[in-house]
Amino acid sequence: MRNFAYHRPGDVSGAADTLAKSNEPRLLAGGMSLLPSMKLRLVSPSDLVDLGDIAALKGIRVDGKEIYVGAMTCHADVAVHADVKRVLPALAELAEGIGDPAVRYRGTLGGSIANADPAACYPAAVVGLDATVETTKRKIGGDNFFTGLFTTALEPGEIVTGVRFKVPDKAKYMKLRHPASGFAVVGVMVAKFRGNVRVAVTGAGPSVFRVPAMEKALASNFSPKAIDGITIPHADLMTDIHFSGEYRANAAAVMARRAVAAIT
Ligand SMILES: Cc1cc2nc3c(=O)[nH]c(=O)nc-3n(C[C@H](O)[C@H](O)[C@H](O)COP(=O)(O)OP(=O)(O)OC[C@H]3O[C@@H](n4cnc5c(N)ncnc54)[C@H](O)[C@@H]3O)c2cc1C
């Protein structure tokens, strides 16, 4: 790890100012992804701007129609939040299934989505639940936030402040968990809203994606049978030492059917 200057501002505007004044800064949330990358010298920031003291970035607010989660809220807090469990259990279950206890207590929503790991779970919630990502500069629709492998619509100096998730009539997140890391080999969020259905797949491709053929079929008949013969094209999916793209495509279709079955 190379030397860097460490900053711990007390508010969001202080963090934004420090970012603007620094050469090659990085925001630090829980450090779950950033610190290993620094140790491997994949990134060598000149300045680390730690968001840990900014109370305004932490917390969860629930009303009947939306759930707002602050960027610095850790996964464990989402997993046990009584109102999240009551209003949108799929989101609490997703958070509960992330990594291991250490990752859940250090890892944050903002860090997870800004990092845009292709195997992360939260991207499926952001897209599947038609969420809005709020930043220091604007509001970004979930469909437009993730732009590719480890890339997002965030601009330099832009800080995620929180995410507003829509509350559907029902939803389920189903994940095929990597046995070593807990990351998603594939993860599928199915959400039924009044008038439409969203199916968002993470883990399979370079970035989260929707499955329009399944969404259309489920909108007219919300049952596992409705998507029985629908396959997911695998040509652009990830093949690595663990699984082929073809396997991931099939697993995503299976997870989608299981998710629908669980809430039918
Ligand atoms: C062993 C292990 C298992 C894991 N398993 C899973 C899993 O099953 N599912 C899953 O979804 N995730 C998993 N993760 C990822 C984990 O959930 C973390 O959320 C993720 O690593 C990001 O960590 P962090 O929140 O500490 O952010 P950091 O590592 O501190 O930051 C990550 C990146 O986001 C940027 N950033 C941080 N906060 C903001 C912000 N507010 N605005 C803009 N940019 C920001 C940082 O500059 C950095 O580039 C796992 C991680 C590990 C180490």
Side-chain angles (χ1 to χ4, degrees):
M1 197 184 282
R2 297 184 201 279
N3 283 341
F4 55 86
Y6 176 77
H7 311 266
R8 201 169 165 95
D11 55 34
V12 176
S13 63
D17 285 351
T18 311
L19 285 182
K21 284 182 198 142
S22 307
N23 226 351
E24 281 187 51
R26 281 282 181 145
L27 293 167
L28 176 67
M32 289 289 97
S33 292
L34 183 56
L35 295 188
S37 305
M38 288 172 65
K39 285 182 185 166
L40 293 168
R41 297 192 175 178
L42 297 171
V43 289
S44 297
S46 61
D47 296 75
L48 267 196
V49 183
D50 190 340
L51 301 174
D53 271 353
I54 307 181
L57 293 178
K58 290 181 193 157
I60 299 169
R61 292 193 296 276
V62 180
D63 72 28
K65 296 191 185 105
E66 325 188 299
I67 294 180
Y68 177 82
V69 182
M72 283 297 287
T73 308
C74 71
H75 312 322
D77 285 350
V78 176
V80 300
H81 197 278
D83 289 338
V84 176
K85 286 168 92 166
R86 180 175 51 79
V87 173
L88 184 45
L91 188 64
E93 286 164 14
L94 178 150
E96 173 69 38
I98 289 177
D100 53 41
V103 170
R104 291 196 288 277
Y105 277 95
R106 292 294 309 167
T108 65
L109 172 59
S112 173
I113 64 169
N115 198 46
D117 190 310
C121 300
Y122 265 122
V126 169
V127 173
L129 298 172
D130 196 13
T132 301
V133 178
E134 299 190 353
T135 79
T136 39
K137 298 186 177 173
R138 58 198 162 130
K139 293 179 180 174
I140 308 170
D143 283 337
N144 302 320
F145 184 78
F146 300 99
T147 53
L149 187 75
F150 291 106
T151 53
T152 69
L154 289 173
E155 291 164 0
E158 190 167 15
I159 303 172
V160 176
T161 51
V163 178
R164 221 167 266 286
F165 296 96
K166 283 190 186 142
V167 174
D169 295 341
K170 36 188 172 177
K172 184 75 184 174
Y173 179 65
M174 206 49 96
K175 153 166 139 176
L176 178 61
R177 193 183 157 86
H178 190 284
S181 67
F183 271 108
V185 175
V186 297
V188 181
M189 176 66 83
V190 175
K192 183 179 188 302
F193 293 90
R194 203 152 305 163
N196 72 309
V197 175
R198 283 180 163 249
V199 178
V201 178
T202 190
S207 185
V208 59
F209 60 89
R210 289 170 63 188
V211 188
M214 287 189 177
E215 293 180 348
K216 198 171 163 210
L218 290 169
S220 57
N221 174 16
F222 195 80
S223 77
K225 252 191 167 5
I227 53 171
D228 223 358
I230 299 179
T231 55
I232 295 173
H234 62 84
D236 295 332
L237 301 190
M238 292 188 301
T239 290
D240 57 24
I241 55 165
H242 305 294
F243 304 96
S244 66
E246 201 172 359
Y247 180 93
R248 284 186 157 93
N250 185 58
V254 172
M255 291 299 124
R257 286 198 296 275
R258 287 186 188 171
V260 175
I263 51 175
T264 309

